[in-house]
């Protein structure tokens, strides 16, 4: 992809137009040079910056992004994740660990019971390009975003899976149950009982 197409892709998500509006051209060019030419990063950053309504807020958010010398994909995605409220972050982690590729109906019932406001949360994730909803109602999440979500959960406790909020590997969940190492921290686990 050449610079013109990168700028156009970024602008579609950041400004809802083909190019930056007057006064944003230099900021957009600087951001593109930091993004490393990765389309996913451009879409994610554009979606993140699109929520900023005035140039001052946009510059402040951009300054935070610019502080990272060469934006790595997971660092960029982490900044986008951090911008969500707590309920939306929980939905992101649930999708990353358990519900990518799954019909959204059942997870929405669960999130509603948890007072996570699933319709608002899913709409926010779609608007910010973290997920898409396929025609069959299944939740689609990019592999790198899924990897980030799982890394966030893994970092909760690297040594003891039973002390993480989500256990998506059936063997870890079963082992935590068998050894009585499951704690109240675990919110969701995946078991394969076949």
């Amino acid at each position: 992809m050449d610079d013109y197409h990168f700028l156009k892709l970024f602008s579609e998500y950041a400004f809802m137009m083909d190019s930056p509006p007057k006064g944003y051209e230099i900021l957009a060019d600087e951001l593109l040079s930091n993004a490393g030419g990765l389309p996913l990063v451009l879409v994610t950053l554009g979606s993140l910056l699109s929520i900023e309504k005035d140039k001052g807020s946009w510059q402040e958010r951009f300054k935070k992004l610019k502080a990272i010398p060469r934006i790595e994909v997971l660092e960029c995605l982490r900044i986008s994740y951090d911008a969500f409220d707590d309920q939306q972050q929980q939905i992101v982690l649930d999708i990353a660990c358990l519900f990518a590729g799954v019909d959204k109906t059942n997870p929405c019932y669960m999130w509603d019971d948890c007072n996570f406001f699933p319709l608002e949360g899913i709409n926010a994730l779609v608007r910010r390009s973290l997920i898409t909803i396929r025609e069959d109602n299944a939740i689609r999440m990019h592999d790198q975003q899924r990897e980030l979500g799982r890394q966030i959960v893994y970092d909760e406790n690297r040594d003891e899976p039973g002390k993480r909020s989500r256990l998506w590997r059936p063997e870890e969940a079963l082992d935590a149950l068998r050894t009585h190492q499951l704690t109240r921290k675990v919110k969701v686990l995946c078991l394969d009982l076949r």
Side-chain angles (χ1 to χ4, degrees):
M1 211 182 257
D2 60 28
D3 289 347
Y4 169 78
H5 287 100
F6 279 125
L7 181 60
K8 184 176 178 183
L9 176 65
F10 173 75
S11 296
E12 285 174 5
Y13 284 89
F15 308 111
M16 311 308 168
M17 55 180 71
D18 287 344
S19 61
K22 188 173 178 128
Y24 287 82
E25 301 94 337
I26 294 171
L27 290 171
D29 284 341
E30 286 182 41
L31 184 72
L32 292 177
S33 69
N34 280 3
L38 297 169
L40 175 63
V41 173
L42 296 176
V43 168
T44 303
L45 290 177
S47 297
L48 174 64
L49 292 168
S50 72
I51 63 172
E52 304 303 344
K53 299 300 179 204
D54 61 77
K55 191 172 179 182
S57 298
W58 207 91
Q59 287 175 310
E60 189 174 289
R61 176 78 64 163
F62 177 71
K63 191 175 181 182
K64 182 177 180 181
L65 295 170
K66 207 172 145 186
I68 302 168
R70 179 95 173 146
I71 297 174
E72 297 293 329
V73 174
L74 292 182
E75 290 170 336
C76 166
L77 298 176
R78 179 62 192 241
I79 290 169
S80 184
Y81 166 83
D82 288 341
F84 287 113
D85 67 32
D86 185 60
Q87 289 102 350
Q88 292 165 345
Q89 287 179 354
Q90 297 305 311
I91 290 172
V92 169
L93 297 179
D94 285 343
I95 293 170
C97 294
L98 299 154
F99 299 126
V102 173
D103 182 302
K104 71 176 184 171
T105 306
N106 287 334
C108 280
Y109 288 133
M110 181 186 82
W111 295 324
D112 190 45
D113 284 346
C114 294
N115 294 315
F116 288 168
F117 308 101
L119 297 178
E120 177 185 310
I122 286 176
N123 287 336
L125 300 181
V126 168
R127 272 192 316 276
R128 301 265 288 285
S129 305
L130 257 67
I131 64 168
T132 56
I133 304 298
R134 297 190 318 221
E135 287 181 21
D136 63 356
N137 215 31
I139 302 167
R140 162 108 173 64
M141 177 179 268
H142 194 281
D143 291 343
Q144 291 169 321
Q145 290 163 328
R146 189 174 184 188
E147 179 186 338
L148 170 70
R150 289 181 172 190
Q151 187 64 48
I152 290 169
V153 172
Y154 178 76
D155 288 344
E156 292 171 354
N157 193 313
R158 293 171 178 247
D159 299 324
E160 298 179 56
K163 292 184 178 178
R164 296 181 199 143
S165 61
R166 290 153 183 86
L167 298 176
W168 64 92
R169 293 185 191 108
E171 62 278 1
E172 285 183 345
L174 209 49
D175 187 54
L177 285 168
R178 282 188 190 129
T179 59
H180 305 286
Q181 293 180 354
L182 212 55
T183 65
R184 290 184 182 265
K185 174 99 171 125
V186 176
K187 297 175 183 176
V188 183
L189 57 89
C190 177
L191 295 173
D192 185 0
L193 302 174
R194 289 182 254 157

